[in-house]
Amino acid sequence: MATFLGIPKFVSGLKHNADQWEVGQPLPEDTLRWGSSFPQGAASTLRNSQMRKNLGHATHTIRSKRNLRVLEMPDWEDLRESASAIKHETMSNLPELLVQMEENVTKRGGIVHWARDAAEANEIILSILREKQVEEVVKVKSMVTQEINLNEFLDSHGIKAWETDLAEMIVQLGKDMPSHLVVPAIHRNRSEIREIFLREMADAPKGLTADPRELAMAARAHLRALFLKSKVAISGSNMMISETGTLSVYESEGNGRMCLTLPETLISVVGIEKMVPRFQDAEVFSQLLPRSATGERMNPYTSFWTGVTPGDGPQEFHLILLDNGRSKALADEVGREALHCIRCAACLNVCPVYEHVGGHAYNSIYPGPIGAILTPQLLEATDHHDPAASLPFASTLCGACGDVCPVKIDIPGALVHLRHRYTEANRGGIPNGWDVAMKASSKVMSNGHRFEKAARMAKLGRPIAGKDEKISALPWPVSAWTRNKDVPAPPAQSFRDWYNEEQKKGEEK
């Protein structure tokens, strides 16, 4: 889902005195798995105070708008229940729905391709573009094309893919990676965007300021030339409808509408899970998506297309149905709920972890709580050497993500499930410090008398706590904990001591 003005809309109140910008996450070879583990990625992004300021302001603004729009809906919970039921039905009948989708697209003049992975999808797209003899294409904002690293693949074959969503264009010009599902440039403020435009956009006005309207006008002039000369466009889809063979794109700028109507050929790359059975199901998601994503009652631009219509829009349409690990996720009775996601990013906007570390810390194109359960499944990442395997632990399990999810995905439950799967996959071998600590703790916690003695000994730690009753530094091996977190000071009286005291008082009476 695209957004109006990307970042300027949400952080227009932020100012950055220095006219400079730092290159963010370098473009990786694998957009699902790059860099290091989440703890290492978070340690790096936490040092970027400007990014944290941008992110905090933006997520707070989106949350506030979303809450207002939700309060207007007396049937909000009923809509969530309906969406959840539709997605459960879809996943239970996905093979049949995909066949129906192919039949209806083909019947209406479209061409359907099946891609098992990123390599197959990229090769299919490249063959179409070579047949059309084009050297550049325009793109609608699409997470799935970023998942398969399409832009970089095409660039290596001499074809330039231009992002037309403003926030995606900012990311592309800034040689950066997106850090949010809906607002890809959420980690940038308007002064940084101005500097990116001046340095990287050849036709940017020389006197360009950081005023959001001026930035939007500069982008509009830059993109208009691309729209008018491009013969091929590439899109994703927010939702496919198998009953009619229809695809849809929900956006707020109109750039998507330009891509979907002006070019001669349209190529849509869609994950096989982005499906609903019936056209009437679109009513439910059309109410949930804009409110959850950007706090809007409805999308300014909602486009539906079905195959090819003579004399109206692209006269050649290709649909690429991408698996890329989704079938494996579908086989997991718990983890498959990640495939219900409609990419609204509501879970990112309320997540306290995401708000502080930003999207790049997750080392995947899918950040935040939903990325923490989706990415490891797409990659079958369970080995402790795999950076993606650490993602299910990137959560406090506070439950806020599940509370706001418009399709009621049990994200906390899936996180616990994937943590268990990781633990089971890495049993055996030489025990590490964590294994030793857990084994020692189990000896204490499994015995009431030993636990009581340990609780009494813990009181000795009260004197070393500060005025805020927190312990920030303890000797090894507990330093592995206090290096990242504070330990609350032990209570002056444990529950056991209080309970025993109350029992004695009762007996005396």
Side-chain angles (χ1 to χ4, degrees), residues 104 175 225 327 390:
N104 285 323
K175 301 177 178 61
S327 294
S390 67

Side-chain angles (χ1 to χ4, degrees), residues 273 329 338-339 343 366 369-379 418:
E273 83 282 13
L339 299 180
R343 306 292 191 269
Y366 298 116
I370 188 62
I373 63 173
L374 180 60
T375 299
Q377 292 190 89
L378 294 179
L379 297 171
L418 293 176

Side-chain angles (χ1 to χ4, degrees), residues 68-230:
L68 286 173
R69 298 288 82 84
V70 168
L71 287 172
E72 296 174 348
M73 302 290 289
D75 61 343
W76 182 256
E77 289 305 315
D78 292 335
L79 285 168
R80 292 181 73 214
E81 287 288 351
S82 296
S84 178
I86 292 168
K87 281 298 184 180
H88 277 289
E89 178 189 356
T90 300
M91 295 307 141
S92 299
N93 301 282
L94 188 57
E96 295 82 0
L97 293 175
L98 286 167
V99 170
Q100 184 184 31
M101 184 73 190
E102 179 184 29
E103 290 174 350
N104 285 323
V105 170
T106 303
K107 188 186 302 181
R108 290 163 175 79
I111 302 168
V112 178
H113 310 263
W114 297 78
R116 286 174 293 187
D117 53 28
E120 280 195 3
N122 285 333
E123 287 296 336
I124 292 169
I125 295 169
L126 179 62
S127 65
I128 297 171
L129 298 182
R130 281 178 169 167
E131 179 186 332
K132 301 302 174 186
Q133 298 180 338
V134 296
E135 296 182 353
E136 58 184 11
V137 296
V138 289
K139 285 183 64 195
V140 186
K141 179 182 182 297
S142 165
M143 294 299 299
V144 75
T145 59
Q146 291 172 331
E147 175 188 326
I148 63 177
N149 237 17
L150 177 62
N151 290 11
E152 290 68 41
F153 174 81
L154 293 180
D155 191 60
S156 68
H157 289 83
I159 300 173
K160 185 66 178 180
W162 297 104
E163 298 289 352
T164 64
D165 172 78
L166 180 51
E168 286 286 0
M169 188 183 80
I170 292 165
V171 170
Q172 184 179 40
L173 291 175
K175 301 177 178 61
D176 202 353
M177 286 293 290
S179 62
H180 192 276
L181 299 180
V182 175
V183 195
I186 198 169
H187 56 293
R188 298 294 191 190
N189 65 35
R190 57 181 179 174
S191 292
E192 291 174 304
I193 294 167
R194 169 188 175 273
E195 191 66 17
I196 290 172
F197 279 12
L198 288 174
R199 294 192 189 186
E200 303 295 331
M201 200 161 71
D203 52 357
K206 292 183 179 179
L208 184 65
T209 71
D211 177 71
R213 184 178 184 281
E214 285 195 36
L215 294 171
M217 294 298 289
R220 180 182 295 172
H222 173 74
L223 290 171
R224 184 166 295 170
L226 294 175
F227 288 135
L228 293 175
K229 69 179 180 178
S230 296

